[in-house]
Amino acid sequence: MAGHFEPLPGGGAAVALDEVEISILRSLAVQLLELIGPGESQGPDEADPLARLFAEGPSEPPADPALARLFPDAYGDPGSEQDQRERAYASEFRRYTESDLRARKREDALGVVGSLDALSLAEGGAVLRLSPEECRRWLGALNDLRLAIGTRLEVREDDDTEELFRLPDEDPRKPMVMAYLWLGGLQETLIEAMTG
């Protein structure tokens, strides 16, 4: 089980993590929370699901490339020239969906932090056991972390990872590359545990 998720009887998944891995995962999840930003404060009207449905969020894509990758435009190819109509559609769609998407991504990252904080360390590590719902949150957070790190590393295609394997140890990107690859392995085995 060390280093990869395995299915649990009755659903869910488990993985053995050492203290360093727990610390890295927690730190990355906290950094993701900082990148996504704070949640909206809820007033009395916002407790109403209908009021939340019509609440408006941002209409422009984020300037930070990692955030733009986490919250892409819904219409058109981001690398191409969008016509005025596509920009208007994308802006309108973003206005009514980005706040909820940010909230879900924030909840996923908080779920990771919470489950790691609940671990009882013994002999330098612990076994993390996740319910099916926690697996879904973890999968979302692992995906978001890989997207953000991959954007910072300028990974565009799966083929770009071959170049990352060949980076010399003294390259300043190496720790981020190792985290990116490790998170990919965790994500893959979690998917297998959830579907297997």
Side-chain angles (χ1 to χ4, degrees):
M1 180 187 309
H4 63 274
F5 280 97
E6 292 185 3
L8 288 174
V15 63
L17 300 169
D18 65 31
E19 286 184 70
V20 173
E21 292 168 330
I22 293 167
S23 175
I24 291 170
L25 282 167
R26 189 181 191 291
S27 174
L28 289 172
V30 168
Q31 290 176 54
L32 180 62
L33 285 165
E34 291 170 357
L35 179 67
I36 293 169
E40 302 294 322
S41 59
Q42 286 195 353
D45 292 344
E46 293 179 17
D48 174 19
L50 193 56
R52 281 197 326 263
L53 178 66
F54 293 106
E56 293 188 17
S59 60
E60 295 298 317
D64 182 311
L67 279 174
R69 183 70 176 100
L70 291 174
F71 305 104
D73 271 343
Y75 298 95
D77 180 6
S80 69
E81 289 293 318
Q82 290 180 321
D83 67 25
Q84 197 170 27
R85 190 170 29 128
E86 285 177 329
R87 282 194 299 272
Y89 291 155
S91 176
E92 192 71 8
F93 187 80
R94 179 179 300 280
R95 180 176 294 124
Y96 292 108
T97 60
E98 186 172 314
S99 294
D100 285 342
L101 186 55
R102 280 182 184 264
R104 196 199 80 228
K105 290 179 181 297
R106 195 176 299 108
E107 288 171 10
D108 290 348
L110 285 169
V112 168
V113 171
S115 60
L116 292 171
D117 286 350
L119 289 175
S120 298
L121 295 177
E123 298 180 27
V127 174
L128 175 68
R129 289 177 176 80
L130 301 175
S131 69
E133 176 59 24
E134 290 169 322
C135 286
R136 190 209 57 78
R137 288 189 185 277
W138 267 75
L139 191 57
L142 289 172
N143 187 61
D144 291 342
L145 285 167
R146 290 196 75 238
L147 286 172
I149 293 170
T151 302
R152 296 285 192 244
L153 291 170
E154 298 179 353
V155 174
R156 305 258 184 262
E157 302 289 331
D158 288 336
D159 295 339
D160 290 349
T161 58
E162 291 300 319
E163 180 184 321
L164 297 177
F165 280 114
R166 293 189 293 269
L167 284 177
D169 288 343
E170 59 274 2
D171 190 302
R173 297 172 294 166
K174 189 71 171 201
M176 209 166 29
V177 167
M178 299 307 294
Y180 177 79
L181 297 172
W182 177 55
L183 292 169
L186 286 175
Q187 184 180 22
E188 185 177 329
T189 61
L190 180 54
I191 291 169
E192 290 170 1
M194 291 170 68
T195 60

